[in-house]
Amino acid sequence: MEEKVACGCAAPAPVNTERRKIFKIAAVGLAAGMGLQGRSAHALETVPEALRHATGDLLVEEDAEGEPAPLKVADLRVGKPLLAFPYHPESKLVRSETRLNKVVLLRFKEEDLDAETKALSAGGVLAFSAICTHMGCDIKTFMTSEKVFACFCHASKFRPLERGSVAGGPAPRPLPVLPLKLDGDTLVIAGPFATPPGFTAQA
Amino acid sequence: MKGLMKGIAVCAVAVLPAAVSAALGDYAPVTDARLKNPEAGNWLQYRGNYAGWGYSPLSQITDKNVGKLQLAWAFATGQKEGHQSPPIVNNGYMFVTTPGAQVIALEAKTGKELWRYKKELPGEMLQLHPTNRGVALYGDRVYVATVDAHLVALDAKTGKELWVKQVGDWKALQYITLAPLAAKGKIMVGSSGGETGVRGYVAAFDAQTGEEAWRTYTTAAPGEPGGDTWPGETYKNGGGSIWITGTYDPDTNLAYWGTGNPAPWPTEGRKGDNLYTGSTITLDVDTGALKSYFQYNPNDAWDWDEVSAPLLIDTEVKGKKVKTAVHAGRNGFLWVLDRDGQKLNFVDAYPYVNNNTIKSIDPKTGRPTYIEERRPGMGKGNVHFCPSLWGGKDWTPEAYNPKTGLFYIPANNNLCAELPEPEPTKYKKGDLYIGYPIEAILTGLRWESGKKDAPKTMGEIQAWDLKTGKQVWAHKFPTFNWGPLLTTGGNLVFGGGTNDRMFRAFNATTGKLLWEAATPSGVTGVPTSFEVDGEQYIAVQSGWGVDAQRMQGGVDNLVGYQTVVPQGGTVMVYKLAK
């Protein structure tokens, strides 16, 4: 078998053009409009560092407009998921350029969390990647009866109380958990996703 | 940042064999004349012919000998999810597509891989329908439309990528699942996305250059005919998506396309007929001009996309010769339209599955009157309706056999749904635009009203005589049916679609089950038939996923246990034992 590159993918111009656009976005902090393209881009490592979530980032509600206001424990109601993006506490850069940064927050009563889960939570609030590990749809539904996140697209289910483990459906791996900590009553990202966020590509 | 450079190289790779098999002849270019009058031994397009029949005239495999059908070869595609595309065959070359924007070219006789193309998909995108429904062949090229809303032209012999055109914006959740339609130098595609607030369209591209020739939207803007059927600017995200390849009448140069549901699902914000959603529309292939339409579901409230294009059949209807366009509707009626002349005129409609939602159909215009309490909406609480969201028949194609004169429908009966009060919804680019709580939709499948236990049968294959408007036979399955149909000159109907992984052959005249064989996964692929070196083959992809899997989830929710159907795609090719 001879592997042959059959397209103009090695052509430098479009790649550089796109790269410049991304740098520009990073520099001016624009949140919408442009996008990342390309192969294997499901790995967050392909996203420029300035656009990735970071330890110490605060969280802002997904659809909030204007200067970001940090989400606090009291902004969440028990059992009601909320979508959020990380943002840099000083530059206020909201890292919404890539969906891979999108987070789903869910608050529990602290006594419902086991020790391992509690260590990842802040004030009873847990954070997970909001991108389904099956086909990349937004995770924003919590089924209270089964205590699982459910994905609309193909009904994958994840257990937030068991570090995002798969409870059903086609998802091939857990929903990545994002550790949180508290600064006063403000939610702060305490570390990277436990596993890479994004859909699971097939070879 | 080095990783970034590597990561954003937009690229696709074709893997070529060292040498093309000596047994294969030259590739025969696909012309308009061949598409119009396809040879019996080839399967050149989605449904075999422009009229959408799903019919092969081949008659070596018959109702008498089909019991001797056995596997000739099988080929693993390496992909999971729904494998729905037909194995399309030209002169010994076979082309299949799979989920993951992949095209595989195979030697039709042996299954030997000739080349493989896989378009890399943006890692950030989400896939509501991870599938692909096939290629179009035209000239010496293969065309595939991808789930990230691009159209790609490939060299049929080598798989070399010749051009890639962006058709829609995947970030706005426009995506393409259909096999393109090729005619008169144009490659036509349309956008899916009825649940993501797209404004549906059919777009045509120059087969040679990829330049866009025209684009016709399926929701009417103010000032256009039908523009007054949408309040304000609701047409802009009004749905009417295009999921399935159109049929085509070369005599009139009109392509027939089925359109999807209006968006969002609740009707309160879009009072009016919402033209041209839930309809068949006809477009002039040269210009894209919309010439006529017939709307099956004015102001739809049930997610009843009418996406499969009508089959074009010249037949007798109740003693009168009619050039018909026939469509088994998601709304549970079999619609017969007259396509002769300037308009698509209503002829008749027959309920083919239980429907408790349509009170009557105007005998002159074909316009349905709904039972209002069956229409979900504000202030109505939980509303139960039949057929379900997936309808009497979803995208899975029907078939027509000119030798038996029968029209075959892969149906789902005795399945209903329930929707609660709508929730406030606002269009947001890149998000779902539905208007009901997602949890309620995931658990919304119901048996018929008042029935506690599962029905004895759900899936059906039905045969209808268009001349009389009567059902001739129905084969019923204990589980639902998601199987596209093939019918042949050997008096056979082939289909899979059930969760027991079976692929089956039926007597086309009587409906008697004649042959079945288990496949590696479940069969939701479009079956085809072709001939190489004087031998007839039957081909289909096995590969469960997408809406069959969703419906299984709905049924499992009702019965209280989980049904596992293994995933993974395989091209299955059968022939008679010697």
Side-chain angles (χ1 to χ4, degrees), chain A residues 2 4 6-7 9 19 34-35 37 39 46 62-63 98-99 134-136 140 152-154 170 199 202-203, chain B residues 4-5 7-8 10-12 14 16 79-81 120 123-124 126-128 130 161 171 428 431-432 550:
Chain A
E2 168 201 1
K4 185 175 170 185
C7 72
C9 61
R19 187 180 180 219
M34 303 308 307
Q37 289 186 3
R39 65 188 311 202
T46 62
E62 182 195 26
D63 293 327
T98 168
R99 289 181 67 235
H134 175 229
M135 280 290 150
K140 53 184 175 185
F152 168 73
C153 284
H154 313 99
F199 77 87
Q202 298 179 62
Chain B
L4 169 66
M5 288 290 290
I8 63 173
V10 178
C11 175
L16 299 177
Q79 296 288 304
K80 289 184 180 176
E81 311 303 334
E120 297 291 345
E124 277 193 81
L126 64 84
Q127 295 186 55
L128 192 54
E161 186 183 88
K171 290 202 155 192
K428 188 177 137 196
D431 204 353
L432 295 173
R550 277 198 194 103

Side-chain angles (χ1 to χ4, degrees), chain B residues 37 347 363:
Chain B
N37 293 302
V347 177

Side-chain angles (χ1 to χ4, degrees), chain B residues 239-543:
Chain B
S241 50
I242 301 285
W243 297 83
I244 297 296
T245 314
T247 48
Y248 174 58
D249 185 346
D251 293 341
T252 57
N253 198 33
L254 293 179
Y256 292 70
W257 298 87
T259 65
N261 59 287
W265 290 4
T267 60
E268 279 77 7
R270 49 171 176 82
K271 294 212 184 301
D273 282 357
N274 311 135
L275 291 172
Y276 299 93
T277 63
S279 305
T280 289
I281 57 172
T282 72
L283 303 181
D284 182 295
V285 164
D286 291 337
T287 64
L290 192 149
K291 294 293 187 182
S292 59
Y293 73 96
F294 181 85
Q295 189 175 41
Y296 306 99
N297 305 317
N299 197 231
D300 167 74
W302 304 272
D303 187 31
W304 285 342
D305 303 72
E306 298 295 353
V307 287
S308 53
L311 283 71
L312 311 181
I313 302 165
D314 296 352
T315 183
E316 215 175 82
V317 179
K318 293 172 185 167
K320 200 176 136 197
K321 282 192 174 173
V322 185
K323 289 168 85 72
T324 66
V326 186
H327 168 65
R330 189 129 148 194
N331 61 15
F333 281 77
L334 174 58
W335 297 84
V336 180
L337 307 177
D338 182 346
R339 72 179 202 280
D340 206 5
Q342 295 300 307
K343 286 190 168 178
L344 268 174
N345 288 315
F346 176 74
V347 177
D348 214 337
Y350 320 109
Y352 69 94
V353 296
N354 292 332
N355 179 310
N356 69 3
T357 304
I358 293 176
K359 183 159 63 179
S360 61
I361 290 174
D362 186 297
K364 277 193 176 158
T365 65
R367 186 183 176 90
T369 300
Y370 304 123
I371 298 168
E372 280 305 316
E373 60 264 34
R374 298 293 181 189
R375 178 201 286 273
M378 293 294 286
K380 290 195 172 173
N382 289 332
V383 175
H384 182 282
F385 58 90
C386 315
S388 78
L389 300 169
W390 289 286
K393 185 195 79 69
D394 198 274
W395 73 273
T396 53
E398 314 97 309
Y400 172 70
N401 188 323
K403 281 171 95 170
T404 63
L406 299 180
F407 183 91
Y408 304 97
I409 307 171
N412 280 311
N413 209 345
N414 308 319
L415 288 174
C416 306
E418 194 168 283
L419 283 174
E421 291 276 314
E423 63 181 9
T425 185
K426 194 178 155 193
Y427 175 76
K428 188 177 137 196
K429 181 180 170 177
D431 204 353
L432 295 173
Y433 187 52
I434 298 180
Y436 285 101
I438 285 167
E439 187 171 355
I441 298 170
L442 288 174
T443 59
L445 199 68
R446 293 287 183 275
W447 311 136
E448 281 182 87
S449 190
K451 295 197 176 166
K452 212 177 135 202
D453 298 323
K456 286 200 173 76
T457 64
M458 298 179 213
E460 300 181 1
I461 297 176
Q462 302 181 3
W464 285 74
D465 185 347
L466 297 176
K467 293 187 184 70
T468 61
K470 304 277 187 217
Q471 191 185 98
V472 177
W473 58 260
H475 183 94
K476 300 186 178 185
F477 301 102
T479 59
F480 59 87
N481 175 18
W482 217 276
L485 297 178
L486 159 74
T487 183
T488 72
N491 193 33
L492 293 168
V493 171
F494 288 89
T498 49
N499 62 12
D500 56 5
R501 301 183 289 118
M502 290 294 178
F503 184 54
R504 300 181 172 89
F506 301 87
N507 181 305
T509 308
T510 67
K512 186 182 176 194
L513 175 66
L514 299 175
W515 171 87
E516 63 182 342
T519 72
S521 181
V523 176
T524 59
V526 177
T528 68
S529 187
F530 61 92
E531 185 180 85
V532 180
D533 294 341
E535 272 190 298
Q536 184 186 357
Y537 296 81
I538 304 292
V540 73
Q541 289 203 82
S542 170

